[in-house]
Amino acid sequence: MGPAPAHSVQEPIPIYPEGFRPPRPGSAAISRHLSSFPKPPELKSFAAPLLSQWLAGLHVQAPNAIEWWWQEGWGVGPRRLEDSMWFWFESANGWGWVGNPKQRFRLRPGDAVLIPQGAEHMLRQDPGTSSHVIAVHFRASVLDSVDLLDLLGYPIHLEASRYGDLFGSRSVHLAREYGAKPAGWETAMASTIQDLLLTLVHDFAQDFAPRTEKHAHADLPRLLPAMQCIEQNLCDPELSVARLAHSVHLGEAQFRKLFRRVTGNTPTSYLRVQRTKMACSELISGDASVEQIANLCGFGCPRFFRRVFKDLTGYSPANYRRHGRESGSPIQWQDSPQL
């Protein structure tokens, strides 16, 4: 027997998803070293476990996606919107800015512009040109309170030369879904938007500019236990501000200030909004009575439930159910922080 080799080659280890049953003996399996998977870029200022917690609490709504032909001289802004959106320009030559008028960018075919909720923006075409545009409006919030785009500092101007067709094919798909409205179109649209937003996080993290040091989002990790307590106990009419404050080891007064600073809402108002959203779903999808839904959604008193529901949605529960079923989709309504 000859001398032992100076080093040995490590055998590849089969990699299976958790719970996956390995192939039967005699069948072929593909295997590779863990080190062969390319490491994705990391988002600045956010530890991976915390980022995973936030993304696990991501909620996406997709009000609409509309295809436009912008004629010569047409543009938008300066303006602010209550939701987030993106423009994808199949054909365009122009300029724009988002947030800061002094930071202009050029618009070219295939580019996209991603606009956070409430951000002032303006887009214009060059003289003598027209554009084919798809505008996608959406809401993407962490724990139903903090705008994801603003929280993570998503890139604003996404040039086709770098991002390829990331926005193009999805924008066309979304416009078709919204126009045709096939069964499940709202769920499909929300899923497509969420996929794009997560793909940007996973593949282009180096382009993000988190701004948590400039506002109350830096306090969001401290508030997470209370938000999780709300999610787990939303149906409990006995869930109190004192209990939520205890979950983050604060007195009630301190907790109320923290909650308002992070979410822009009071704990009581936030609870009412979340319970009303749950009631909206129950009214459209189920046949339970208004009294049963009031109890199921943590309101307790049907009379109080009716008043809060009307204040938030503009409809009585019965009319909301009727209009929602006639239209085939839930009625869009704005959250009110003033309740």
Side-chain angles (χ1 to χ4, degrees), residues 60-70 83-88 132-139 167-182 185-186 188-190 192-193 196 332:
V60 176
Q61 293 176 296
N64 61 65
I66 300 175
E67 189 171 3
W68 299 91
W69 279 103
W70 284 7
D83 54 12
S84 300
M85 71 170 300
W86 78 66
F87 288 102
W88 174 69
H132 181 206
V133 185
I134 295 180
V136 178
H137 291 257
F138 64 94
R139 285 193 172 196
F167 282 83
S169 58
R170 289 174 171 87
S171 298
V172 171
H173 170 74
L174 288 165
R176 184 183 65 210
E177 287 290 302
Y178 183 70
K181 293 183 174 58
W185 65 273
E186 291 174 305
M189 287 182 66
T192 298
I193 292 170
L196 182 142
Q332 297 296 325

Side-chain angles (χ1 to χ4, degrees), residues 86-271:
W86 78 66
F87 288 102
W88 174 69
F89 295 88
E90 183 181 42
S91 61
N93 285 285
W95 56 271
W97 55 264
V98 176
N100 187 347
K102 296 181 180 180
Q103 296 180 354
R104 289 189 177 190
F105 47 77
R106 289 292 305 169
L107 289 172
R108 296 180 175 85
D111 286 3
V113 179
L114 192 55
I115 304 171
Q117 179 181 345
E120 189 175 17
H121 59 279
M122 182 175 182
L123 301 172
R124 288 288 184 270
Q125 301 175 103
D126 290 340
T129 65
S130 60
S131 303
H132 181 206
V133 185
I134 295 180
V136 178
H137 291 257
F138 64 94
R139 285 193 172 196
S141 57
V142 176
L143 301 173
D144 264 348
S145 58
V146 179
D147 177 53
L148 180 73
L149 273 61
D150 186 51
L151 173 65
L152 300 187
Y154 271 74
I156 297 297
H157 179 212
L158 302 105
E159 299 175 88
S161 59
R162 172 163 176 74
Y163 293 89
D165 192 44
L166 185 63
F167 282 83
S169 58
R170 289 174 171 87
S171 298
V172 171
H173 170 74
L174 288 165
R176 184 183 65 210
E177 287 290 302
Y178 183 70
K181 293 183 174 58
W185 65 273
E186 291 174 305
T187 301
M189 287 182 66
S191 177
T192 298
I193 292 170
Q194 180 166 307
D195 172 69
L196 182 142
L197 295 175
L198 294 179
T199 297
L200 286 170
V201 172
H202 296 159
D203 295 347
F204 297 94
Q206 65 273 26
D207 297 345
F208 283 58
R211 295 177 288 274
T212 55
E213 72 281 2
K214 296 182 180 179
H215 46 57
H217 295 170
D219 292 321
L220 184 56
R222 191 177 186 188
L223 197 61
L224 277 175
M227 306 303 278
Q228 291 166 345
C229 183
I230 291 174
E231 183 179 359
Q232 295 166 4
N233 299 279
L234 192 60
C235 299
D236 182 2
E238 301 300 321
L239 181 61
S240 64
V241 175
R243 182 174 168 187
L244 295 174
H246 179 74
S247 71
V248 294
H249 311 290
L250 289 175
E252 282 192 50
Q254 289 177 301
F255 175 73
R256 290 179 189 274
K257 290 180 180 178
L258 172 67
F259 199 96
R260 187 64 178 258
R261 186 163 67 246
V262 173
T263 69
N265 211 338
T266 67
T268 301
S269 296
Y270 182 86
L271 274 171

Side-chain angles (χ1 to χ4, degrees), residues 287-303:
D287 295 316
S289 67
V290 171
E291 289 74 16
Q292 290 171 325
I293 290 175
N295 289 323
L296 177 65
C297 298
F299 283 97
C301 173
R303 184 178 179 182

